[in-house]
Amino acid sequence: MDLVKSKQRVADHGEVFTPGSVVDAMIDLVASEAARVDARFLEPACGSGNFLLPVLRRKLATVNARYRQSEFELRHQGLLGLMSIYGIELLGDNVGECRANLVEIFAADLALPRDDVCLRAAEAVTSLNIVHGDARTMQTLADDPQPISFAEWSYLGKGTFGRRDFRFDTLTQMSSFGAEDTLFADLGKHDIFTPTRDHGKLSMSDIAGSAHD
């Protein structure tokens, strides 16, 4: 892939894409986490998904190795893998490309038809997890900027998922408590990590209609 889209974008935003070989080498440093289905990854300047796409591929490889005998679990665990990937991006066209690229890989890996509910749920998840915003200010980029919020997804079993929403500026305070895990780790230990909303149990169909909820 090209390392720059235009000189103007480099000048205005410092946008330069990391070569694929470097991306793979960096992900190899955390290979066990990248391959773990529910390990959460956040890229605060995700571009069109240069880092997030290979992480998703590794998660889906794990899903296929473990659950290929059950289409039900394959679909739900695959969706959980996608749910664990988060990004923030300044440029709107990159946001759209990143979301589309993640969904394309997901759909191709699971061989999902266009009207499949699992594919629509994946589109909803990426619309929530890949945020058009500024990681420095922790605000969305919109006419009326709001604090960036992320959905904490979990698989509850038997085809149901959990979703709790947290503000990004709250999550970044985790370091002061010495948490030793990925995004959203051990939130229940501290009152400060109270979710802004708990959506309760959700089916795949529920999620498919939750893109802007």
Side-chain angles (χ1 to χ4, degrees), residues 14 65 84 109 167 192 212-213:
S84 71
D109 189 89
R167 281 178 48 156
I192 192 173
H212 303 292
D213 190 3

Side-chain angles (χ1 to χ4, degrees), residues 60-81:
L60 292 176
T62 298
V63 170
N64 277 287
R66 292 181 179 174
Y67 303 104
R68 58 176 172 266
Q69 301 303 321
S70 169
E71 182 179 356
F72 182 87
E73 287 300 327
L74 190 72
R75 289 157 63 91
H76 286 81
Q77 293 291 337
L79 187 59
L80 179 63

